[in-house]
Amino acid sequence: MPLWTIHLEGGPRRVNHAAVAIGDRIYSFGGYCTGEDYDVTRPMDVHILDTLSLRWKLLPTPDVSSDTPVPYQRYGHTAVTVGDCAYIWGGRNDKDGACNILFCFDSSNLSWSKPTVYGRIPGARDGHSSCLINNKMYIFGGFEEEIDRFNNEIHLFDFENMSWSYVKTCGQPSRWRDFHTAVGIDNIMYIFGGRSDEGGDIFTNHEIYCNKIQTFNTITNTWSQLPVTHGAIPSGRRSHSAFTYQGLMYIFGGYNGIYDQHYNDVYALDPVKMEWMEVKVKGDQPCPRRRQCCCIIGSQVFLFGGTSPKDQHTQRTENDLLDHSDLYALDFSPSLKILCQLAVLKYKLETKCLPADLRWDLTAMTTNNTISRSCNTNG
């Protein structure tokens, strides 16, 4: 029974950031916050969440005068994990534009480097997706700033020889798009959502939000459309989150610009049965939002950041959005201990009869506000 078990405020206020899980920590890179100055060049910030203590830490700002390469602050980039390292690619800001330099962040010593790479480097972009399959990072889509167009190509970076290559594909390519998601299950990349345009690769402000699943076979380099014809199919959206758990692909939230609609729903795709399912999650759930991050550790998905409308019922602009600094955890397999703790907090039960270690945990939870005191049983 999946359950929203944790709700905390006071983390990094970030939108369109990128994050990875390494061990029991989550590393969040860059992003933006409404009101901050993005007309200057400054080093990318790194926030670290200890998922055991549920405490955030901001790393000190690197010395830009040193010879150590550090990526500039940006949004719309991606990150993948290889061993103890996170690799950051793409993204843009208002001063420096888009970037196509690969950066490496080593979590063992909290340092940046710029690896020497070979091959055909993709054009700078933001809003693309990256997906790690068989020690290769597959880049798809996004918006290329220099040539001012959407992209529907696939490029891969092979971490064995640190080289880029353009992938020649078979089949009908997926539609040009940005701010979609891609996940890898076995040798297949599953692509969902994003913002497309009636102009194809040219932005005409006539947006399309498709809810079809496109797949890319990384062994045969072949495109196909997954024939999902039954189940509770989610609506098309962009700037949502996607992750995998026990062979299923999950999506959360996002935004549809045609309907001006933000979402906080959870759907799961079974690629074997070719069926969508809406997942009803109980607990204190996040509000509808887009541009958040989701990272999975064990059976828990940690969701943080993103942006939502201040008023769900009125037409709005970017200035009418509220950037979040909260943290949620969705637990696919909550322990009996967690369920007891939530019940005690919800119903304000007497704890004298509980074991000492559980009483101590409840005291810490109450003191540190590490688990929300409310649990919305309506989901």
Side-chain angles (χ1 to χ4, degrees):
M1 177 190 69
L3 180 69
W4 292 107
T5 57
I6 294 172
H7 174 203
L8 293 174
E9 296 288 346
R13 193 178 303 276
R14 281 289 172 260
V15 176
N16 259 354
H17 42 308
V20 299
I22 302 176
D24 55 15
R25 286 176 168 79
I26 290 173
Y27 298 80
S28 177
F29 304 97
Y32 71 87
C33 178
T34 303
E36 292 184 355
D37 183 8
Y38 292 93
D39 289 328
V40 297
T41 300
R42 64 179 186 274
M44 176 178 286
D45 55 21
V46 181
H47 292 85
I48 304 174
L49 173 68
D50 185 326
T51 60
L52 300 180
S53 65
L54 297 177
R55 295 185 180 277
W56 286 100
K57 177 177 70 174
L58 173 63
L59 289 188
T61 302
D63 182 2
V64 294
S65 63
S66 70
D67 294 330
T68 302
V70 178
Y72 57 75
Q73 184 74 342
R74 66 190 66 183
Y75 49 88
H77 49 294
T78 57
V80 301
T81 304
V82 179
D84 291 333
C85 294
Y87 288 86
I88 311 297
W89 192 81
R92 69 179 306 276
N93 69 16
D94 298 339
K95 178 180 184 297
D96 303 283
C99 179
N100 66 347
I101 299 173
L102 183 70
F103 288 91
C104 173
F105 179 83
D106 191 333
S107 67
S108 64
N109 55 22
L110 306 180
S111 67
W112 286 103
S113 64
K114 186 172 70 173
T116 299
V117 302
Y118 307 92
R120 175 180 168 181
I121 300 175
R125 68 195 67 192
D126 72 311
H128 56 286
S129 62
S130 64
C131 184
L132 189 69
I133 299 177
N134 296 326
N135 210 40
K136 297 179 177 66
M137 179 175 67
Y138 289 83
I139 298 292
F140 169 72
F143 192 84
E144 294 188 77
E145 180 173 295
E146 185 174 347
I147 57 179
D148 197 30
R149 73 177 182 97
F150 290 103
N151 187 279
N152 72 339
E153 300 171 346
I154 288 185
H155 298 259
L156 73 80
F157 184 79
D158 190 335
F159 286 97
E160 293 293 332
N161 52 31
M162 301 301 286
S163 65
W164 286 101
S165 60
Y166 167 74
V167 180
K168 295 181 179 179
T169 65
C170 304
Q172 180 64 40
S174 182
R175 183 186 293 271
W176 298 271
R177 66 185 74 190
D178 65 358
F179 295 105
H180 53 287
T181 54
V183 301
I185 301 177
D186 296 327
N187 298 312
I188 308 296
M189 181 167 62
Y190 294 82
I191 294 171
F192 177 78
R195 176 183 60 177
S196 302
D197 195 280
E198 292 181 5
D201 62 338
I202 305 300
F203 181 71
T204 67
N205 207 29
H206 293 86
E207 298 177 349
I208 297 173
Y209 291 86
C210 180
N211 66 346
K212 306 295 183 184
I213 288 284
Q214 297 289 138
T215 64
F216 181 74
N217 187 313
T218 61
I219 302 300
T220 63
N221 291 339
T222 302
W223 281 106
S224 61
Q225 182 172 296
L226 194 65
V228 179
T229 57
H230 55 287
I233 301 175
S235 58
R237 62 194 67 193
R238 65 176 169 93
S239 303
H240 53 288
S241 297
F243 52 89
T244 62
Y245 180 71
Q246 294 186 345
L248 303 183
M249 181 184 82
Y250 290 83
I251 65 168
F252 167 84
Y255 174 73
N256 186 302
I258 295 176
Y259 304 115
D260 191 26
Q261 180 70 48
H262 287 77
Y263 302 99
N264 66 342
D265 45 13
V266 179
Y267 285 87
L269 173 72
D270 188 329
V272 177
K273 296 180 180 179
M274 293 185 293
E275 179 181 10
W276 278 107
M277 300 162 283
E278 184 173 6
V279 183
K280 299 295 186 180
V281 185
K282 293 185 177 182
D284 186 7
Q285 64 183 348
C287 66
R289 66 184 64 196
R290 55 175 153 158
R291 301 173 179 170
Q292 66 283 333
C293 277
C294 286
C295 292
I296 189 164
I297 297 178
S299 66
Q300 290 184 298
V301 180
F302 292 89
L303 180 155
F304 57 97
T307 190
S308 297
K310 296 177 182 177
D311 186 340
Q312 293 278 353
H313 307 290
T314 61
Q315 293 293 320
R316 50 194 165 266
T317 67
E318 289 291 326
N319 293 329
D320 299 319
L321 296 174
L322 175 66
D323 299 340
H324 297 291
S325 60
D326 51 9
L327 170 72
Y328 287 84
L330 188 160
D331 198 332
F332 284 101
S333 184
S335 66
L336 180 59
K337 183 176 181 179
I338 287 292
L339 295 175
C340 290
Q341 291 170 341
L342 289 172
V344 168
L345 290 173
K346 178 184 177 183
Y347 297 109
K348 300 179 181 179
L349 300 178
E350 180 58 55
T351 62
K352 292 180 180 179
C353 61
L354 296 176
D357 61 335
L358 186 54
R359 289 202 308 272
W360 186 91
D361 286 343
L362 287 167
T363 301
M365 288 160 52
T366 305
T367 302
N368 299 323
N369 192 29
T370 57
I371 295 185
S372 173
R373 290 173 175 266
S374 63
C375 178
N376 178 9
T377 56
N378 294 322

